[in-house]
Amino acid sequence: MKKSLASLLAGLLALGSFASAGTAAENNGRGKSPELFTGASPISITGQSWKAPAGGGSEDKVYAYLESVKGSLHLSSKDNIRGKFQITEQKVNSKTGSQHYRLSQYISGIPVYGADQTLHIDKSGNVTSLLGSVVEDVYQTLPQPLVQLKTLSGAEAISAALKDATQDYGPLGEAQVTPAADLYYFIVAGEPKLTYKTEVNVLEPEPLRIRYFISAEDGSVLFKYNILEHLTGTGTGVNGDTKTFETRLSGSTYQLYDNTRGNGIVTYTARNRTSLPGTLLTSSTNVWTDKAGVDAHTYAERTYDYYLQHFGRNSLDNNGLQIRSTVHYYTSYNNAFWNGAQIVFGDGDGVTFTQLSGDLDVVGHELTHGVTEHTANLEYYGEPGALNESFSDIIGNSIEGDNWLVGDDIYTPAIAGDALRSLANPTLYGQPDKYSSRYTGTSDYGGVHTNSGINNKAFYLAAQGGTFNGVSVTGIGREDAVQIYYNALVYYLTTSSNFSAARTAVIQSATELFGAGSPQVTAVTKAYNAVEVY
């Protein structure tokens, strides 16, 4: 059997110019690969029109044209053209009077997947073009009569696809579209295989729309690909600014789902309840109005990008971990948190906080807790807990990078210039700035949010420089400083590290990155001297 597939080149040149559309299928970003349509070569026939014979209906003209090029369609003079090609759709352009037809090639009453054509007739009744694909020589070489080896039902094919998707992704959520199974001949290595085309379309455990080609003979997966798209959406954030971000289109619905970063960044809404992750945020257009969702999604993307660009880190676990965010948690909830699996944002009460996803350094702070969990895993109590909070402040603030304040975009919205914490001057917001002033009680898990100011101040002095507590520090810049502190977090600190251990870790990290006796080592050493950590 001849396994190659012909474009309709031979015999069609007399009709006008012939332009090849190239390979059988382009990689269009949807997960398709060139192997999908190896059974059909694209054609494009335009130019000189074909004059239809007088009389007969419009469909008669279509088949008369196909009859005239039967040889180029690899049919014998005895073949019934109407049995090999069927019209699947007809439309009329009311502005031009042109008629447009969609056709498919058939084998024994079953369509050949990808062997589709469009044929166009102008208002005078002339065929002006034929576009599409055709399978070559299939009728002459197939056994006659064709034996159909269909043994599976459509329902069994759907089950086979679901089983395969579950193996790849885990337990699947509710189908978003009722699955169907359509029977085709699908060309595999030049051979037509009786095949069911079906889809797995779910939102959990992540948004999926996987198209499957299941063998009707044995239920094996002949081909599959994910057809969800990522797009660039726009929306207004909590503070009224316009942002752009990646989304996906599933059917006619846009989703706050970015599949361009790691294993995805996906944003949900709890709808003022406490169930997590909640409901995937969707929109009928790609212009978004959920301000909290816009900021949570955009700032998660920016945090991912910062870690990748500055540290070469692929998401929180350095292995592409999917970043999930949920906004609108509970009612007037004045907090944001990382729960070990995802980040969660309250809407605030409008007095102490506005919507907490509206500040990049807050989003970066919470996601850095995820990085800490996958690296040093600092215990969330006492001095290790204060370091845990401090490293989140340090890196979150560095991602935003426009000042030394944390939470200034969402804290006390009626008070201009206010913030939750300051790395430059922790005492402005009730934090100690040196070890002798540390909190020693048991509230706040041993002062995790309070004593973080000590390590924050050391970072600020190392980066910015200045004289504090009788010690003068020459700053090394934020970038060198954050590289040192990140390196210390990932490679040096442990679950139980205290402030003294952090000093040693940061100095060793600076030595590793910049060398003993370097200005960077001197800066961090003096910075810890200034905050009385030895």
Side-chain angles (χ1 to χ4, degrees):
M1 175 179 181
K2 187 174 181 180
K3 300 184 186 294
S4 64
L5 300 163
S7 62
L8 297 178
L9 179 59
L12 293 180
L13 291 176
L15 298 177
S17 64
F18 177 89
S20 172
T23 58
E26 292 182 349
N27 183 350
N28 64 1
R30 295 187 180 187
K32 291 181 180 179
S33 86
E35 290 77 20
L36 178 57
F37 293 121
T38 52
S41 296
I43 57 170
S44 176
I45 310 163
T46 60
Q48 181 180 350
S49 63
W50 175 83
K51 183 66 176 177
S58 56
E59 289 191 6
D60 293 329
K61 294 178 180 179
V62 170
Y63 286 112
Y65 172 76
L66 295 178
E67 187 74 32
S68 73
V69 295
K70 184 183 285 185
S72 298
L73 297 175
H74 305 283
L75 300 177
S76 71
S77 59
K78 297 179 181 180
D79 282 322
N80 178 11
I81 195 72
R82 291 177 183 260
K84 310 305 181 187
F85 292 86
Q86 295 185 20
I87 296 171
T88 60
E89 183 180 78
Q90 176 184 355
K91 290 185 177 180
V92 177
N93 186 327
S94 59
K95 293 182 178 180
T96 64
S98 299
Q99 300 173 55
H100 304 278
Y101 293 84
R102 292 188 179 276
L103 304 97
S104 288
Q105 187 177 5
Y106 277 69
I107 298 175
S108 191
I110 296 172
V112 179
Y113 193 80
D116 305 315
Q117 309 83 34
T118 61
L119 188 144
H120 310 274
I121 301 177
D122 65 19
K123 62 182 179 180
S124 300
N126 302 316
V127 174
T128 58
S129 61
L130 174 67
L131 312 173
S133 304
V134 66
V135 175
E136 177 186 330
D137 290 347
V138 68
Y139 304 110
Q140 290 88 339
T141 54
L142 282 172
Q144 298 296 326
L146 181 65
V147 178
Q148 296 181 5
L149 301 176
K150 174 182 165 185
T151 59
L152 266 67
S153 67
E156 289 172 320
I158 292 170
S159 295
L162 290 170
K163 180 180 179 181
D164 183 81
T166 300
Q167 289 174 343
D168 286 346
Y169 295 93
L172 303 176
E174 180 181 357
Q176 298 302 295
V177 176
T178 302
D182 299 315
L183 198 61
Y184 287 91
Y185 273 103
F186 185 69
I187 307 301
V188 179
E191 303 285 349
K193 302 290 185 181
L194 200 60
T195 306
Y196 284 105
K197 178 178 77 76
T198 188
E199 279 187 11
V200 171
N201 189 326
V202 297
L203 295 179
E204 298 294 341
E206 62 183 86
L208 300 170
R209 189 184 177 195
I210 306 174
R211 179 161 292 168
Y212 278 93
F213 297 86
I214 303 292
S215 169
E217 298 178 22
D218 58 18
S220 61
V221 177
L222 300 177
F223 198 85
K224 63 181 178 180
Y225 62 97
N226 196 342
I227 59 176
L228 277 178
E229 298 182 1
H230 72 269
L231 305 164
T232 300
T234 61
T236 303
V238 171
N239 295 300
D241 53 333
T242 299
K243 294 179 170 68
T244 60
F245 41 87
E246 298 297 325
T247 62
R248 292 213 310 197
L249 181 65
S250 179
S252 61
T253 301
Y254 295 91
Q255 303 171 337
L256 273 190
Y257 189 105
D258 172 5
N259 65 352
T260 69
R261 293 168 168 87
N263 291 320
I265 293 174
V266 58
T267 305
Y268 299 81
T269 174
R271 295 179 175 173
N272 300 121
R273 298 184 176 92
T274 57
S275 178
L276 295 176
T279 304
L280 180 67
L281 277 166
T282 61
S283 175
S284 60
T285 70
N286 212 11
V287 179
W288 296 77
T289 57
D290 188 315
K291 296 180 179 180
V294 164
D295 278 349
H297 195 70
T298 304
Y299 290 154
E301 290 180 338
R302 289 181 62 180
T303 298
Y304 177 94
D305 291 347
Y306 183 89
Y307 270 97
L308 184 64
Q309 293 164 7
H310 287 254
F311 310 129
R313 188 176 189 85
N314 180 12
S315 193
L316 311 184
D317 65 348
N318 201 28
N319 195 33
L321 180 72
Q322 186 181 89
I323 297 176
R324 296 188 178 192
S325 304
T326 297
V327 296
H328 306 306
Y329 182 78
Y330 199 44
T331 303
S332 302
Y333 186 66
N334 279 324
N335 205 356
F337 59 87
W338 166 263
N339 71 353
Q342 67 164 97
I343 184 173
V344 180
F345 301 97
D347 287 332
D349 60 9
V351 178
T352 304
F353 289 101
T354 187
Q355 293 169 316
L356 279 94
S357 61
D359 196 326
L360 175 56
D361 55 30
V362 171
V363 176
H365 172 106
E366 297 301 339
L367 290 176
T368 297
H369 281 309
V371 175
T372 298
E373 187 169 319
H374 286 95
T375 54
N377 197 26
L378 289 158
E379 188 67 51
Y380 202 70
Y381 193 91
E383 290 192 13
L387 290 172
N388 194 320
E389 279 293 316
S390 175
F391 276 89
S392 277
D393 276 353
I394 287 167
I395 297 179
N397 179 263
S398 296
I399 294 170
E400 187 172 77
D402 59 0
N403 59 38
W404 299 99
L405 300 174
V406 175
D408 50 312
D409 291 333
I410 47 90
Y411 184 60
T412 56
I415 303 175
D418 202 8
L420 193 61
R421 290 184 290 277
S422 168
L423 278 69
N425 188 0
T427 60
L428 282 177
Y429 303 106
Q431 290 186 299
D433 56 7
K434 53 184 182 292
Y435 194 70
S436 61
S437 301
R438 71 191 183 282
Y439 171 74
T440 58
T442 58
S443 296
D444 184 32
Y445 308 106
V448 298
H449 290 94
T450 304
N451 290 333
S452 59
I454 299 168
N455 199 59
N456 285 355
K457 181 69 173 184
F459 173 80
Y460 168 80
L461 288 170
Q464 190 72 5
T467 299
F468 176 72
N469 203 20
V471 179
S472 294
V473 182
T474 299
I476 56 176
R478 188 194 289 268
E479 180 60 26
D480 281 359
V482 78
Q483 290 289 342
I484 292 167
Y485 274 72
Y486 169 81
N487 197 62
L489 175 68
V490 171
Y491 297 111
Y492 288 90
L493 295 176
T494 65
T495 301
S496 59
S497 292
N498 59 15
F499 282 106
S500 179
R503 170 194 169 102
T504 301
V506 170
I507 292 172
Q508 290 302 309
S509 176
T511 302
E512 175 191 350
L513 295 177
F514 298 100
S518 64
Q520 290 81 0
V521 171
T522 300
V524 296
T525 301
K526 288 187 174 182
Y528 278 103
N529 290 345
V531 299
E532 302 172 350
V533 171
Y534 300 102

